[in-house]
Amino acid sequence: MYRRGIIRLAAVAGGGVAIKKYVDEPQADEEELGREWRPDAVEKYWLESRPMHTIGRAFQVSRIFVPLAIRCAIDHGLGRLDNSEVRRSRAVELREALTALGPAFIKLGQTLSIRPDVLPIEAIEELRALCDAVP
C-alpha cells in the first residue's frame, strides 16, 4: 500500500525557497506497527524506514514555528507583550500555525485552550475557536 507523498524541505533564507521532492511513502501497516505501543517499532518505522519523511515533517513544523517563536521573543525583549493587541495578534498566529500543521497540533491547541496557567487570556480565547469549530 503506497501513496504518492510530497515532502517539502524549506530553506527560509532571503525570499524563502521551497524544494519539493516526490517520494513513495508507505502507509502505516498494522502488521508493521501492531496495535500496542512499542517505541522500538515506532522508531524503526519512522526513523529507519522513512527518514526523509521524518526530516521533511520536522522542516515543515520548524518553518512554521521558528518564525513565530522569534517574533514572540523579539516582542518579549522589547516589552511589546504588555500590549493586549500584540498578544492577541500572536495568539491568532499561533492558532493559524496549529491549524496549518494538522490534527495533532489542533488537538494540542485544544488542550492549551484550557490552561490559563500556561498561556495569556488572549491566547486562551483564540485557541477556544479550535474547540468550537475545527477548520
Side-chain angles (χ1 to χ4, degrees):
M1 294 190 301
Y2 286 86
R3 71 177 166 92
R4 181 61 78 184
I6 298 175
I7 296 178
R8 297 175 188 195
L9 301 175
V12 188
V17 178
I19 302 165
K20 295 180 182 179
K21 180 177 181 184
Y22 292 89
V23 295
D24 286 325
E25 175 193 322
Q27 291 286 342
D29 192 2
E30 193 172 313
E31 294 171 10
E32 254 182 294
L33 292 176
R35 290 184 175 252
E36 58 192 47
W37 174 248
R38 293 189 346 250
D40 58 324
V42 173
E43 181 177 347
K44 181 179 181 193
Y45 183 83
W46 288 109
L47 297 180
E48 293 176 18
S49 302
R50 292 151 188 82
M52 289 304 297
H53 180 77
T54 305
I55 291 168
R57 182 63 172 163
F59 275 119
Q60 182 184 29
V61 171
S62 298
R63 181 177 47 111
I64 291 175
F65 274 125
V66 168
L68 177 60
I70 290 171
R71 285 191 297 277
C72 288
I74 290 170
D75 288 343
H76 177 71
L78 297 175
R80 288 191 274 197
L81 289 180
D82 296 335
N83 182 341
S84 179
E85 288 303 314
V86 173
R87 285 194 308 266
R88 179 150 321 271
S89 169
R90 294 297 175 240
V92 169
E93 290 180 55
L94 175 61
R95 180 187 47 78
E96 290 172 350
L98 293 170
T99 303
L101 288 171
F105 287 89
I106 290 173
K107 182 55 76 178
L108 174 64
Q110 291 171 339
T111 302
L112 289 173
S113 73
I114 59 170
R115 297 293 309 268
D117 59 321
V118 176
L119 295 174
I121 191 67
E122 293 85 2
I124 299 292
E125 291 169 357
E126 193 61 39
L127 292 178
R128 282 190 186 144
L130 296 176
C131 297
D132 299 337
V134 176

